[in-house]
Amino acid sequence: MWRACRVPRLAASGAVRLCSSNPPKPPPSSSAQPHSIPRPQAEKQRRRREREKAILSSQRSTAEGDAMKWSEKQKIEYTANTPPGAKKDTTVLLPSQYSPEYVESSWYQWWEKEGFFSPEQHERLSHSVDQTFSLCIPPPNVTGTLHVGHALTVAIEDALVRWRRMQGHRVLWVPGCDHAGIATQTVVERRLLRAHGKRRQDLTRQEFLQEVWKWKNEKGEEIYHQLRRLGASLDWRRACFTMDPDFSKAVTEAFVRLCDSGLIHRSEGLVNWSCALESAISDIEVDSKELSGQAMLSVPGYENKVEFGTMLTFAYPIEGHHGEVAVSTTRPETMLGDVAVAVHPDDPRYQALHGKQCRHPFTDRLLPIITDSMVDMELGTGAVKVTPAHDHTDFLLSQRHSLPRVTVIGGDGTMTHPCGEWLKGVKRFDARQLVVDALAEKKLLRGKQSHAMTLPICSRSGDIIEPLLKKQWFVRCDKMAEKAIQAVDDGQLEIIPHFYTKTWKNWLSGISDWCISRQLWWGHRVPAYQVELPNSTAKQEEQWVWGRSEDEARRRAAVKYGVKPEAITLTQDPDVLDTWFSSGLFPFAMLGWPEQTADLQHFYPNSILETGSDLIFFWVARMVMLGTELTGQLPFKQVLLHSLVRDKYGRKMSKSLGNVIDPLDFIHGVSLERLQEKVKEGNLDPREQLVAMEAQRRDFPKGIPQCGTDALRFALCSHKIQGEDISLSVSEVLSCRNFCNKMWQTLRFTLGVLGDNTTPVRTLEELTPLSSMDRWICSRLYSTVAQCEQAFEAYELHTVTSALYSFWVHSLCDVYLECVKHVLVRQDDRAAVQAETERSVQVASSVLYHCVSTSLALLSPFMPFITEELWQRLQPFRPGAAAQASLCLQPYPHTSQLAHWNFPDVENDFLLIRKVVRVARSLRAQCGMTKEKPAMWAVCSPSQAQVLLHFGSAVWALSRISNLHIYCPQEGESLHSVCSTPPPKGSLVGVVDHTCQLHLHVQSGMNVDRQILQLTQRRDKLLSKLEENLHTVQSPHYLTKVPAHIREQIDSKMSAMQQELKTTEDQLSVLQQTQATE
């Protein structure tokens, strides 16, 4: 079911539609279509050509090549004897480096066996709260395998699920699989033909269904295996397949109830028909192929290629006159079904022909010339052929003008009896050429030209879709749609991001009836029965009843028609229901509906529905409509729609493009050769295969490295999922793997510190940070937890991942550990360590423990494997009460726990230290220093001097200097440890801001020529930036249009740049003098 929505424009494949840009409500069709404005065909073609050109181009940027440089890491396996389902042994020595293979071994089987993912676990949590969080996974098709787009869904949903579970909520996340009627039947039919040389029709329906179940039992677990490898914390004991007996019972119940309430009816309407499948299909099974003009295409069932992308113009003679009316079409074979010609009532060319008739050249039928304001006078000849049985717009015209509907193409794709003996039984595209030849013979052909068009193609069979008039079962959607719109307007249902609310209203406001019949064998058979009464005649109108069983249907028929039950003959409809009908029941059918089960009472309505934005119409809207109608409640309270995953060329991940990537290829790694084999195994045409394989050669020249589940999940959740399409690159995932290694090495260091400690770690509550650096890192942790709390509530997962990465890498590792490392590792000579220093060491060790432990808990929803592995290693040192058995059941950190660690002033002061360190490192780099530790002067304001003194040790450690001298030229008061003398002349100068400069005293070894070059380049860059800012400031409307706070920022920035420019020029002058004296 996780599939792209493609809305076919069927009119483009038929007669030229000469209609206004505001079409009326469409007739009942195989699926309602959104009223969005499609991108012009020429634009689509242009974008597609550009993308293919970019792929096939031989030029590659250097940055692109550099981004993919990687080498195979050593693979370390977990070899301890751990039976499946047993807890992993974490007492064995921690390997020296991170390996996904080692980390991800055994944990999932233990989690699953212990029942950590079931809501029943909630009662055993000490921090449980009386709140419920429930949702279903969008059930993937049983025929397929998951790709990276599915992995995004899993990563997002599992992050939310694990977060709520750690918060103490009663959580239920139900796995499921969709039976995928058309896709599954197609796959099994191909398998039968390949293995046994048999077609479906060679078997009885029951025999064929046995083959399908056999295939499903072999194949069905593949998706569940992928979900487990992705770490999805699903309650597998409640796994739900849409063809399970209980689910099938729910589908039957839904159909019967909707029929009883008049919301399902049987009528004749146009549907998307696949002649190869001989079934109606939904829009989601239709691909749109853009043609820029004339093209020869292969069509299933035809030996020779068929011509498309041409416009044929022919004439209809006017009855009783010498004149004619010319019409144009891309489907000349349908002209046998023409019943009228339509013109605009105000078109002066046809004023004299209103009410006249044309004579059909082949059927001798008289075709009235009708007037309708829908006709566009400016398009084509201004006259339209009307074929109601084969075109959606023409069907509307036939309703308004009471025109007959003549079906000239049958369900098998051959021409029907009304065409005449010369065409009867001829395949439709063979008939096309026969009709063209016959028109030419009758001298009625007026021209043929290339024509851009959109061709609707069945995604399952590759056949060209044919709009056909069929008697089918339809759901009346208008009243249910009104309720769905009202639910959003009233705030009962929230759609996130909110900009989809407008789309929701627009689509549901114009919704048409939904065809739910499918002419298949695999699926939920329609629980409706045609009734044959005693003494009934063949010409009698169809009579139907429905029921939960044949016996119930018989009793209903007896009451309805006033006859004895035994006198009635019932024949069940051979059709099955649309897969989207059953999947629309998923939120409540998975919980046991229609029975009032405990699960239904506890977990319905679901808390949220999370899915791809492309399913808002085909799945989300239908769930809301069906759920509200059948249960009296909305199926969920919130809808969270995430963006689509695209490749680096902007193309959506699609099997038809050959650019899908199995998430397991990211997790385990894969060679380029294997990736190319997968493309060849697909059903792509030669050009698409060429493009797909070239894209792989360019993007993955060495294949994909092993990155692991945690890295993949973290990379996916690091993207903004609300509103912006996602372009995932291997380098991003590889970067997250490096982050895993950073976590690994941090834990190894932490264990080394804790292992050498003789004093136990203090509890979080009793731990008070002592040093300035302890206070800073503790406050940074508090701020990070606060960020996570706010962002999780807003479903902004990218903000959570960014905050966590920044804390671990840039605060904990790059700053805190660098500053306190010398304190923590100086424990070899305990006797020499003073009591005060000993106390500092103990506090720093405890602070380090809690920073790491808390961060692992914060990261757990995104990276369940590595966080579990590392957290378990910390448990021997845990102070206070025993923890939960698994990190996934631990309380999620919250700010109330860390309120005593909130020091906002300390964090604010440290911003200056970060700037100072950045400038100091830049000065060192300019001098080419690596090991040297020069003295440094800071010329600053008194308030800045206070901060520098407070964090002096951090400046020393991070800047790698031997001494820090602080000089305040405008000193207003005496400051302890502040120099009274300015920095020595000839020092290298760097600007921190407009009141703070750094002077690095370099005694020897400085490359003067290199320094002059660097400073000159810096000066030129500053001049350019200043000129740019000056242009902005001097613009006419600067004072009136630019907000005051922005002007202040610009002024401050310009002041700092001017100060830096002055010091740069001064420094250049000194160096040039030095150069002259050498």
Side-chain angles (χ1 to χ4, degrees):
M1 191 185 73
W2 285 337
R3 195 181 143 72
C5 292
R6 298 179 177 85
V7 182
R9 300 199 297 280
L10 294 174
S13 63
V16 182
R17 293 274 51 87
L18 309 178
C19 302
S20 67
S21 60
N22 298 307
K25 188 174 178 180
S29 65
S30 63
S31 180
Q33 299 181 20
H35 289 186
S36 57
I37 299 174
R39 183 180 287 120
Q41 294 175 22
E43 174 65 10
K44 282 189 174 182
Q45 284 292 103
R46 184 187 66 79
R47 289 164 66 94
R48 183 182 181 116
R49 284 195 299 270
E50 283 182 357
R51 286 167 179 165
E52 289 185 352
K53 183 179 178 181
I55 293 169
L56 296 174
S57 169
S58 59
Q59 296 178 352
R60 293 186 62 191
S61 68
T62 306
E64 184 181 357
D66 291 344
M68 276 307 299
K69 286 183 179 177
W70 56 272
S71 56
E72 281 288 350
K73 304 291 184 184
Q74 179 187 359
K75 293 184 179 180
I76 305 170
E77 293 184 5
Y78 172 74
T79 56
N81 185 20
T82 304
K87 185 177 180 180
K88 191 173 181 180
D89 184 2
T90 54
T91 63
V92 298
L93 188 66
L94 196 67
S96 60
Q97 65 182 34
Y98 167 73
S99 172
E101 224 164 3
Y102 181 94
V103 170
E104 294 168 17
S105 173
S106 301
W107 287 122
Y108 196 93
Q109 295 93 320
W110 177 59
W111 292 332
E112 189 176 342
K113 185 183 177 186
E114 292 296 319
F116 293 156
F117 304 154
S118 75
E120 288 74 22
Q121 183 73 32
H122 174 264
E123 311 304 328
R124 298 190 286 275
L125 295 180
S126 58
H127 61 286
S128 63
V129 295
D130 190 20
Q131 293 188 55
T132 296
F133 185 75
S134 59
L135 73 160
C136 64
I137 197 169
N141 288 349
V142 70
T143 53
T145 55
L146 305 186
H147 57 65
V148 173
H150 302 126
L152 173 65
T153 301
V154 173
I156 294 168
E157 292 183 12
D158 198 34
L160 296 177
V161 162
R162 288 176 178 270
W163 166 59
R164 287 299 191 193
R165 189 181 290 120
M166 292 175 76
Q167 283 191 317
H169 291 217
R170 183 183 291 104
V171 173
L172 176 63
W173 187 24
V174 178
C177 220
D178 191 273
H179 64 278
I182 292 175
T184 303
Q185 181 162 310
T186 302
V187 167
V188 175
E189 285 193 65
R190 286 176 182 163
R191 173 172 157 163
L192 270 174
L193 190 63
R194 187 169 57 249
H196 306 292
K198 292 184 178 181
R199 297 171 66 248
R200 168 169 56 97
Q201 292 78 1
D202 297 330
L203 306 178
T204 66
R205 183 170 187 148
Q206 196 56 39
E207 288 171 340
F208 179 75
L209 291 179
Q210 286 176 356
E211 289 293 325
V212 179
W213 277 107
K214 179 181 175 183
W215 176 87
K216 186 267 172 188
N217 292 332
E218 293 173 2
K219 169 80 175 178
E221 287 299 314
E222 188 171 336
I223 285 174
Y224 287 170
H225 168 69
Q226 285 181 298
L227 289 171
R228 285 181 167 95
R229 286 298 294 112
L230 284 166
S233 59
L234 294 149
D235 186 355
W236 292 105
R237 284 173 283 194
R238 287 175 167 88
C240 183
F241 178 51
T242 51
M243 286 294 286
D244 286 341
D246 287 344
F247 203 102
S248 297
K249 179 183 175 183
V251 174
T252 299
E253 181 69 24
F255 184 91
V256 171
R257 288 194 190 185
L258 292 172
C259 282
D260 288 344
S261 61
L263 289 172
I264 288 182
H265 64 100
R266 186 173 175 83
S267 64
E268 191 173 52
L270 272 181
V271 298
N272 296 335
W273 188 267
S274 168
C275 297
L277 298 173
E278 294 192 45
S279 174
I281 64 172
S282 70
D283 287 347
I284 201 146
E285 278 96 27
V286 179
D287 291 337
S288 295
K289 188 176 184 67
E290 305 288 344
L291 300 180
S292 57
Q294 192 271 347
M296 303 297 292
L297 303 177
S298 298
V299 178
Y302 292 81
E303 290 184 9
N304 299 320
K305 290 187 175 182
V306 179
E307 183 183 62
F308 295 94
T310 58
M311 179 75 74
L312 188 87
T313 302
F314 67 93
Y316 274 127
I318 300 172
E319 183 72 5
H321 288 71
H322 294 298
E324 63 181 35
V325 177
V327 294
S328 299
T329 180
T330 58
R331 301 161 67 207
E333 68 277 11
T334 64
M335 64 88 64
L336 278 303
D338 289 356
V339 297
V341 173
V343 297
H344 196 282
D346 300 330
D347 193 331
R349 293 170 292 181
Y350 302 110
Q351 290 289 328
L353 300 182
H354 294 182
K356 303 294 183 184
Q357 294 178 311
C358 297
R359 176 72 65 177
H360 199 289
F362 303 127
T363 66
D364 211 33
R365 199 164 46 239
L366 286 173
L367 313 180
I369 299 175
I370 62 174
T371 60
D372 198 291
S373 57
M374 282 180 61
V375 177
D376 187 346
M377 293 184 287
E378 304 300 320
L379 197 58
T381 65
V384 184
K385 63 188 283 297
V386 181
T387 321
H390 296 281
D391 186 277
H392 290 281
T393 307
D394 293 355
F395 185 87
L396 280 176
L397 285 170
S398 74
Q399 288 179 318
R400 279 203 300 279
H401 297 276
S402 301
L403 299 172
R405 299 158 191 163
V406 181
T407 297
V408 294
I409 300 175
D412 61 353
T414 62
M415 307 306 284
T416 60
H417 176 73
C419 299
E421 291 298 322
W422 69 295
L423 286 179
K424 181 183 175 182
V426 177
K427 290 191 290 188
R428 56 184 168 151
F429 296 129
D430 291 338
R432 174 176 292 184
Q433 189 57 47
L434 293 176
V435 168
V436 173
D437 292 344
L439 285 170
E441 187 179 332
K442 289 180 176 287
K443 302 189 186 313
L444 294 174
L445 195 61
R446 296 293 177 263
K448 178 182 174 182
Q449 62 186 39
S450 181
H451 177 71
M453 64 181 293
T454 301
L455 203 60
I457 297 176
C458 175
S459 64
R460 306 302 180 187
S461 64
D463 195 17
I464 309 300
I465 295 298
E466 194 69 49
L468 290 187
L469 198 59
K470 293 284 183 180
K471 283 190 175 181
Q472 305 277 274
W473 295 97
F474 291 88
V475 176
R476 300 184 202 275
C477 295
D478 50 356
K479 298 298 181 187
M480 291 193 291
E482 287 176 12
K483 293 179 183 177
I485 293 171
Q486 195 63 42
V488 173
D489 287 344
D490 295 345
Q492 300 173 42
L493 177 65
E494 182 184 14
I495 299 177
I496 306 169
H498 294 143
F499 60 75
Y500 279 111
T501 301
K502 185 177 180 181
T503 312
W504 177 267
K505 290 181 184 178
N506 289 345
W507 186 74
L508 287 173
S509 297
I511 197 170
S512 63
D513 288 359
W514 165 24
C515 173
I516 55 171
S517 302
R518 297 292 180 267
Q519 290 63 47
L520 305 170
W521 284 358
W522 172 245
H524 300 104
R525 194 166 175 182
V526 177
Y529 302 80
Q530 192 165 3
V531 180
E532 186 179 334
L533 300 173
N535 304 319
S536 61
T537 62
K539 293 183 180 180
Q540 195 169 346
E541 188 70 24
E542 285 184 354
Q543 294 173 314
W544 291 86
V545 292
W546 44 85
R548 295 166 182 84
S549 65
E550 186 173 334
D551 287 343
E552 181 183 325
R554 190 177 300 280
R555 291 194 300 272
R556 285 172 175 251
V559 173
K560 182 177 181 179
Y561 298 109
V563 296
K564 293 181 179 180
E566 58 270 18
I568 295 171
T569 301
L570 295 180
T571 305
Q572 186 174 359
D573 192 330
D575 292 353
V576 299
L577 293 167
D578 180 12
T579 302
W580 293 101
F581 182 80
S582 53
S583 62
L585 311 176
F586 209 86
F588 46 98
M590 71 178 187
L591 301 173
W593 184 90
E595 303 300 326
Q596 289 301 307
T597 62
D599 275 0
L600 191 66
Q601 292 170 10
H602 286 142
F603 301 111
Y604 188 81
N606 298 170
S607 305
I608 192 172
L609 185 281
E610 196 285 330
T611 190
S613 57
D614 55 342
L615 293 181
I616 185 171
F617 308 123
F618 293 96
W619 191 42
V620 181
R622 287 166 177 172
M623 282 188 287
V624 170
M625 291 191 292
L626 293 174
T628 305
E629 186 63 35
L630 293 169
T631 70
Q633 295 177 282
L634 287 166
F636 26 75
K637 301 157 192 171
Q638 291 180 313
V639 176
L640 176 61
L641 300 170
H642 67 248
S643 307
L644 306 182
V645 177
R646 298 186 180 274
D647 64 16
K648 65 185 294 182
Y649 306 101
R651 303 178 305 161
K652 182 175 177 179
M653 294 273 178
S654 169
K655 289 180 182 177
S656 63
L657 293 176
N659 64 344
V660 296
I661 302 177
D662 187 335
L664 298 189
D665 289 342
F666 274 110
I667 293 170
H668 301 305
V670 66
S671 66
L672 173 63
E673 291 71 28
R674 179 60 191 134
L675 286 172
Q676 306 247 293
E677 284 172 15
K678 290 183 180 183
V679 171
K680 292 176 183 176
E681 290 166 5
N683 191 26
L684 302 180
D685 68 38
R687 176 171 175 80
E688 286 173 339
Q689 187 179 102
L690 172 67
V691 171
M693 294 179 70
E694 180 57 31
Q696 286 181 338
R697 276 191 289 269
R698 291 191 53 178
D699 298 344
F700 319 118
K702 294 164 57 181
I704 299 175
Q706 183 190 47
C707 296
T709 300
D710 292 317
L712 174 61
R713 288 171 53 129
F714 197 78
L716 287 166
C717 290
S718 295
H719 285 269
K720 185 176 181 181
I721 62 172
Q722 298 180 26
E724 298 176 7
D725 283 346
I726 294 167
S727 179
L728 183 72
S729 67
V730 174
S731 57
E732 286 178 78
V733 187
L734 202 55
S735 174
C736 293
R737 187 197 191 281
N738 295 336
F739 175 45
C740 290
N741 191 58
K742 174 75 79 170
M743 294 167 62
W744 190 265
Q745 301 306 332
T746 305
L747 200 282
R748 291 183 68 224
F749 176 80
T750 304
L751 291 177
V753 170
L754 297 174
D756 292 338
N757 228 334
T758 56
T759 308
V761 171
R762 300 182 187 182
T763 63
L764 192 65
E765 294 74 20
E766 66 183 12
L767 179 59
T768 302
L770 294 177
S771 71
S772 57
M773 288 311 300
D774 287 344
R775 288 164 64 84
W776 175 77
I777 195 64
C778 288
S779 192
R780 281 290 301 119
L781 181 61
Y782 172 89
S783 299
T784 302
V785 172
Q787 276 185 282
C788 293
E789 282 180 347
Q790 294 168 12
F792 253 129
E793 291 291 348
Y795 303 127
E796 294 178 349
L797 302 188
H798 66 290
T799 303
V800 183
T801 55
S802 176
L804 293 174
Y805 180 89
S806 178
F807 175 78
W808 193 297
V809 175
H810 301 308
S811 297
L812 183 62
C813 294
D814 291 353
V815 176
Y816 182 71
L817 287 182
E818 288 300 317
C819 291
V820 302
K821 190 183 294 183
H822 69 285
V823 175
L824 292 173
V825 298
R826 274 177 46 202
Q827 299 182 34
D828 51 333
D829 186 4
R830 289 285 174 181
V833 179
Q834 297 178 358
E836 187 62 30
T837 306
E838 178 71 21
R839 183 163 174 260
S840 299
V841 169
Q842 296 306 326
V843 170
S845 299
S846 296
V847 166
L848 176 60
Y849 169 86
H850 288 294
C851 283
V852 172
S853 180
T854 304
S855 297
L856 290 173
L858 291 168
L859 283 160
S860 178
F862 304 99
M863 312 173 91
F865 292 103
I866 188 171
T867 53
E868 183 78 73
E869 178 81 32
L870 300 183
W871 183 82
Q872 293 284 352
R873 302 274 179 168
L874 285 177
Q875 291 320 290
F877 306 98
R878 178 184 176 84
Q884 297 290 336
S886 169
L887 176 57
C888 68
L889 301 180
Q890 274 291 104
Y892 198 76
H894 50 90
T895 48
S896 59
Q897 292 174 290
L898 299 167
H900 61 300
W901 279 12
N902 183 21
F903 308 110
D905 291 343
V906 173
E907 284 192 72
N908 190 55
D909 287 346
F910 200 78
L911 295 176
L912 174 64
I913 305 304
R914 283 187 175 277
K915 291 179 184 177
V916 167
V917 170
R918 184 166 59 250
V919 173
R921 288 178 173 176
S922 175
L923 293 175
R924 288 177 58 87
Q926 287 180 39
C927 298
M929 289 186 179
T930 53
K931 297 179 181 180
E932 301 91 336
K933 291 186 178 182
M936 185 171 75
W937 273 257
V939 180
C940 59
S941 68
S943 60
Q944 290 173 322
Q946 290 279 21
V947 174
L948 290 172
L949 287 171
H950 192 59
F951 289 102
S953 61
V955 177
W956 281 38
L958 300 174
S959 302
R960 299 196 64 193
I961 57 176
S962 60
N963 205 350
L964 174 64
H965 305 282
I966 301 173
Y967 175 68
C968 298
Q970 304 298 325
E971 184 178 343
E973 57 183 281
S974 179
L975 290 174
H976 181 63
S977 298
V978 171
C979 287
S980 57
T981 56
K985 291 184 178 182
S987 298
L988 197 61
V989 183
V991 177
V992 177
D993 59 30
H994 64 283
T995 60
C996 181
Q997 297 177 12
L998 299 184
H999 296 248
L1000 200 68
H1001 184 49
V1002 183
Q1003 294 181 341
S1004 61
M1006 185 170 68
N1007 187 325
V1008 176
D1009 293 339
R1010 181 182 169 195
Q1011 287 303 304
I1012 290 174
L1013 176 62
Q1014 289 179 341
L1015 288 169
T1016 303
Q1017 291 172 342
R1018 180 61 185 159
R1019 181 194 61 190
D1020 294 344
K1021 191 174 181 181
L1022 283 167
L1023 285 168
S1024 175
K1025 283 186 176 181
L1026 275 168
E1027 187 178 347
E1028 185 181 321
N1029 276 269
L1030 198 61
H1031 179 74
T1032 302
V1033 170
Q1034 292 175 344
S1035 62
H1037 305 291
Y1038 177 72
L1039 292 175
T1040 55
K1041 290 191 174 181
V1042 179
H1045 71 282
I1046 299 296
R1047 295 202 305 271
E1048 286 178 13
Q1049 290 175 11
I1050 293 174
D1051 290 346
S1052 178
K1053 189 186 294 184
M1054 286 184 66
S1055 177
M1057 285 193 291
Q1058 287 166 348
Q1059 180 64 45
E1060 186 176 356
L1061 180 62
K1062 183 180 182 304
T1063 55
T1064 301
E1065 289 176 335
D1066 290 345
Q1067 186 66 33
L1068 263 173
S1069 176
V1070 171
L1071 287 172
Q1072 285 165 351
Q1073 290 175 13
T1074 303
Q1075 188 182 46
T1077 58
E1078 287 181 355

